[in-house]
Amino acid sequence: MVDPEEAKGVKIPLCMLASGDENPEDVEKFKDNLSVDKHVETFKDQVHGWMAARGDLKNERVKSEYERGYGVLLDFYRKHL
């Protein structure tokens, strides 16, 4: 789901919050290929889409990571917008 080569074309700051479904090696290569300010973090126990429609917010762990993930995004946006 992550193509490390695409990172080479990114020209603006990027925040990537990967799930445990993403290949860890691809995520790391993607991060290494970014030449812009970045925050790359993997939420290993979350499924792809956990911050959108696939997050089971009735599950306390998912809800906690969902809230933490949006906190990370807000901090990133405050810094870069």
Side-chain angles (χ1 to χ4, degrees):
M1 289 182 255
V2 175
D3 181 352
E5 290 299 309
E6 290 182 356
K8 294 176 181 178
V10 175
K11 305 294 184 210
I12 60 172
L14 183 123
C15 182
M16 172 193 263
L17 303 180
S19 74
D21 292 337
E22 278 69 53
N23 180 316
E25 291 176 9
D26 287 345
V27 171
E28 191 63 27
K29 288 177 188 174
F30 187 94
K31 178 182 174 182
D32 291 344
N33 285 344
L34 288 169
S35 62
V36 296
D37 194 17
K38 62 196 166 268
H39 178 93
V40 177
E41 183 176 352
T42 299
F43 289 70
K44 293 179 183 176
D45 63 348
Q46 300 304 307
V47 298
H48 182 82
W50 60 280
M51 289 187 60
R54 295 190 64 209
D56 178 6
L57 300 181
K58 293 178 184 173
N59 178 307
E60 285 301 316
R61 175 67 181 164
V62 174
K63 182 178 179 183
S64 173
E65 290 295 81
Y66 173 90
E67 291 171 347
R68 186 170 77 82
Y70 275 99
V72 169
L73 284 175
L74 286 171
D75 289 343
F76 190 83
Y77 290 154
R78 283 184 192 111
K79 182 177 178 183
H80 295 287
L81 294 179

